[in-house]
Amino acid sequence: MLVKKIKDSEVQMIHEKSLEILESVGVNFEHREILEVFKKRGIRVDGQRVYFERSLAEEILRGLKPSFTIETPFASLKIGDGGKAISTASGAMTILRDGDICTPTVKDYIDATKMDETSRFVNLCCVPGIYASGLPDGKVELLKTVLSLKYSKKPLIASCETGKSAAESIAFIRDFYGETGEYFTIGVENVISPLRYSREDVAATLAYVKQNQPVVITCCSAPGMTSPITVGGTVVQNNAEVLAGIIMTQVVNPGVPVVYGNVTYSADMRKAVPISWGPEVAVFMQYAKAMADFYGIPSRVGGSLSGAKQLDWQDGAETAVSLMTTFDCDTDFIFHAFGEMDCLNVFSLEKYVLDEELLEARFSVENCDYITEEAIHMDMIKRVGPGGTYMLEDETLELYQKELFHPRLFNSEIYHNWKQLGMPSVILKAQDMVRERLDAYCLPVYDKRQTQMLDELLAIL
């Protein structure tokens, strides 16, 4: 996907129109406490509708942090100013298993966490993860927090579902870690387009902000359905929505880190359904990144987005374009990085490793100095000369494994050799790799106190 050159004049217009929305249209906040906080700050409130004056918005936007670091006893993760967070699944209610769509079990949730722990790309695990049937009501998010800690030592996105579950998740993570840095977890909260923050979204955001933990404010609209049918109108509404959430965080706790998020879909208006991929989605990513840069804060856009229902050509093509655009934008926080399909409704372990291979290919050519005296090897070119071959040269034998990308899952054999190997499909190879990863997984080792904390809560399973 072509990376669009966002003009300064476009950024300024988006900013101006967004401030106009905040001042004259307003944003609904369906939470009594935050409405009272706004009133005490002198912000105009009419019922649940809140109107933000330009002067307040611009004052708050000048004081935002360009980066922050999540620090646990086991890891340090910088987000922004060159630091990238990569996290995988969140929200999938079903799982693709052996070609069938199934309800995920606790074992599926654990397997997904094991994959995150063993991934060389993922550096931020996610408590919301995928749905896990069989967990007792009232303890689902807390038990998912415990399972995430039991099976991974990587930093966590804590629960984001409700204010209560977010507070419980944050508290357990803090107590489990013991000594941490100022920031030890992060939340991802959503706007309900158009221009609405639900009671529980506000409550969950407040749970993070009151504990001085960073939060990602994310819009997710669909043109013609929950945002204007035009790309321009959607971009401006999205920006106003995110700004309203950012202002909320800073009014409650000035200086708390915030990430500018956007996962706005496209839409098939012939069927009135949102779709998680399309050329417009790539454009939304690029404008969101430009606005985050304008406000001087980290950005969260993209991922391995696909609307496909099975692991097929559509899924691979949509995922490749989405993931490459995400990295072309140089975003700071990548969510839904691996394994999700059907507009984030379905999770697949096979897609997880296939997505990893796409990212590995991308990383293999990033920050490479190809044109240097040493890399050109003029002496070898002169030595081989016209009509020769480089196959048996010492440099070739020494460098071929690290100089060129060699896929592990994609078939690169000639047809005859592939046929002799039994014509293995990419999907079957991915299944084998998943089994190998899970078989090789080793459970993290914790001290006695931490082990007891985990075991006490997991005893009910």
Side-chain angles (χ1 to χ4, degrees), residues 26-30 48-49 160-161 188-203 205 216-222 225-227 237-238 240-242 244-245 248 261 263-264:
V27 177
N28 278 16
F29 288 84
E30 301 169 0
Q48 294 182 336
R49 187 72 58 88
C160 311
E161 186 172 304
V188 178
E189 299 303 336
N190 296 317
V191 184
I192 298 179
S193 297
L195 300 166
R196 172 183 167 230
Y197 283 82
S198 73
R199 181 184 182 282
E200 288 302 343
D201 285 328
V202 173
T205 301
V216 185
I217 303 294
T218 306
C219 60
C220 183
S221 62
M225 300 175 70
T226 57
S227 64
Q237 179 187 292
N238 285 173
E241 291 169 333
V242 174
M248 171 178 60
V263 285
T264 287

Side-chain angles (χ1 to χ4, degrees), residues 5 40 85 183-184 195 201 330 334 412 417 421 427 438:
K5 175 68 173 174
K40 289 178 181 177
Y183 312 120
F184 55 84
L195 300 166
D201 285 328
D330 195 28
I334 303 159
S412 56
N417 291 345
L421 292 170
I427 307 305
L438 295 177

Side-chain angles (χ1 to χ4, degrees), residues 91-94 103-106 108-109 128-135 140 144:
M93 298 297 291
T94 57
T103 299
T105 64
V106 172
D108 291 320
Y109 184 90
I130 63 173
Y131 178 69
S133 61
L135 294 176
V140 172
K144 287 168 75 172

Side-chain angles (χ1 to χ4, degrees), residues 205-223:
T205 301
L206 294 180
Y208 287 91
V209 173
K210 288 180 178 179
Q211 294 296 321
N212 198 40
Q213 295 308 298
V215 65
V216 185
I217 303 294
T218 306
C219 60
C220 183
S221 62

Side-chain angles (χ1 to χ4, degrees), residues 19-28 49-51 195:
L19 294 184
E20 184 178 340
I21 291 173
L22 294 181
E23 269 195 318
S24 62
V25 179
V27 177
N28 278 16
R49 187 72 58 88
V50 181
Y51 301 87
L195 300 166

Side-chain angles (χ1 to χ4, degrees), residues 19 49 75 90 349 452:
L19 294 184
R49 187 72 58 88
S90 178
L349 292 174
Q452 185 175 354

Side-chain angles (χ1 to χ4, degrees), residues 43-59:
I43 297 169
R44 180 185 163 203
V45 176
D46 183 3
Q48 294 182 336
R49 187 72 58 88
V50 181
Y51 301 87
F52 300 103
E53 293 183 1
R54 168 189 290 268
S55 57
L56 172 68
E58 293 188 328
E59 174 192 341

Side-chain angles (χ1 to χ4, degrees), residues 68-77 155 170 173-186 211-214 257:
F68 56 93
T69 301
I70 297 175
E71 293 184 87
T72 78
F74 315 110
S76 179
L77 174 60
I170 295 166
I173 292 169
R174 181 185 57 238
D175 293 345
F176 180 81
Y177 285 152
E179 294 186 10
T180 66
E182 183 177 10
Y183 312 120
F184 55 84
T185 189
I186 188 169
Q211 294 296 321
N212 198 40
Q213 295 308 298

